[in-house]
Amino acid sequence: FDGTEGTVYGEVTLQEDLEIGEGESLTIPEGSSLNGNGKLTNNGTIIVEKGGNLTGEPGGNVVYGPTITTTTLPNGTVDTEYKQTLTATGNNITWSSDDLPEWLTLDNSTGVITGTPTTADTYNFTVTATNNAGSDSKEFTLTIGVAPVYSITAEPLKLDFGTLTEGYTPASQMVTITNNGNQPLTLTQPASTEHFEVGNLSKTELAVGEEATFTVQPKVGLAAGTYSEDIDVTASNNVTLS
């Protein structure tokens, strides 16, 4: 001690009583340790820097140097609120960052980062946890993607075969299915109905923007009458249309 402050060097085990009085402080730096051995009284502040070690029951105010324990950040989605809490060992921590993306904010006292991204991108930034015993910094990578959309369209949505006479020769019409979502899809072959024959899909695996076709025609030998039926087209992720 120089009167109000002291520092531990090396591995120290107290053999005599030591009292840290009010307004005084004792620092245990990286690589040093202090075993109170039942002889330590702390009415001031003990500062345990990152890499230092304190054992025993010091009492009073002990400030441990921070170590950020959050390892990675989960991915986020465009136009969806992003919220995560950064964690660190130590106490009385203040959080800070100089290079957060503009849409993201950091609560200095809680370590909570929040914001709503508007653009899909990969962001790199560094956060720092600080207290009276020191600081720790860590760089994080945050990936923001778009929400998956699964959707198909059909053109045309309605087929009209007009008026035919008994004994007609069936004519076919073509339907085009388009993957207008942002994820690849697998189509299921649509089934023929009671009065209409459905041809095979030209393909079943559709990348984004790709098309597949199939034909529809009246069955042979229909009696006089009016026939109207729905043909269901389905794809992966519960996508369907008629």
Side-chain angles (χ1 to χ4, degrees):
F1 272 95
D2 64 5
T4 59
E5 297 179 348
T7 304
V8 174
Y9 296 99
E11 298 179 0
V12 176
T13 299
L14 290 182
Q15 302 302 318
E16 300 179 358
D17 291 339
L18 173 64
E19 180 177 352
I20 303 169
E22 185 176 351
E24 297 178 341
S25 66
L26 177 66
T27 299
I28 306 173
E30 180 179 3
S32 295
S33 64
L34 175 63
N35 180 355
N37 200 26
K39 298 179 179 296
L40 176 64
T41 302
N42 176 28
N43 295 312
T45 301
I46 297 178
I47 299 173
V48 185
E49 295 181 349
K50 181 180 179 182
N53 188 43
L54 173 65
T55 57
E57 299 179 2
N61 183 30
V62 180
V63 180
Y64 293 91
T67 298
I68 297 175
T69 54
T70 301
T71 55
T72 59
L73 293 175
N75 296 340
T77 303
V78 170
D79 295 329
T80 300
E81 182 186 25
Y82 188 87
K83 184 176 184 180
Q84 291 294 320
T85 301
L86 301 172
T87 58
T89 59
N91 50 4
N92 304 323
I93 290 174
T94 299
W95 294 90
S96 62
S97 177
D98 295 328
D99 58 353
L100 285 176
E102 61 180 14
W103 58 269
L104 199 61
T105 60
L106 170 62
D107 189 300
N108 293 341
S109 60
T110 64
V112 174
I113 54 174
T114 56
T116 301
T118 58
T119 304
D121 206 344
T122 298
Y123 302 91
N124 297 294
F125 54 90
T126 300
V127 297
T128 301
T130 305
N131 63 14
N132 292 341
S135 64
D136 186 34
S137 297
K138 182 175 286 188
E139 183 177 356
F140 290 97
T141 297
L142 174 56
T143 301
I144 302 296
V146 295
V149 177
Y150 301 93
S151 177
I152 56 176
T153 59
E155 179 62 37
L157 272 176
K158 183 176 182 179
L159 302 176
D160 188 346
F161 290 90
T163 300
L164 306 175
T165 58
E166 289 184 336
Y168 62 88
T169 299
S172 65
Q173 295 188 31
M174 183 174 292
V175 178
T176 300
I177 303 297
T178 303
N179 178 0
N180 66 331
N182 60 16
Q183 302 293 315
L185 289 172
T186 300
L187 296 176
T188 299
Q189 171 64 38
S192 297
T193 65
E194 182 179 359
H195 303 109
F196 295 91
E197 295 284 0
V198 177
N200 290 332
L201 285 164
S202 60
K203 62 168 61 177
T204 56
E205 302 295 328
L206 291 186
V208 175
E210 279 194 325
E211 298 178 346
T213 60
F214 66 90
T215 58
V216 179
Q217 67 184 39
K219 288 186 175 181
V220 176
L222 292 178
T226 300
Y227 302 95
S228 178
E229 291 175 342
D230 290 331
I231 295 172
D232 293 329
V233 182
T234 60
S236 49
N237 290 85
N238 299 316
V239 176
T240 185
L241 60 76
S242 293

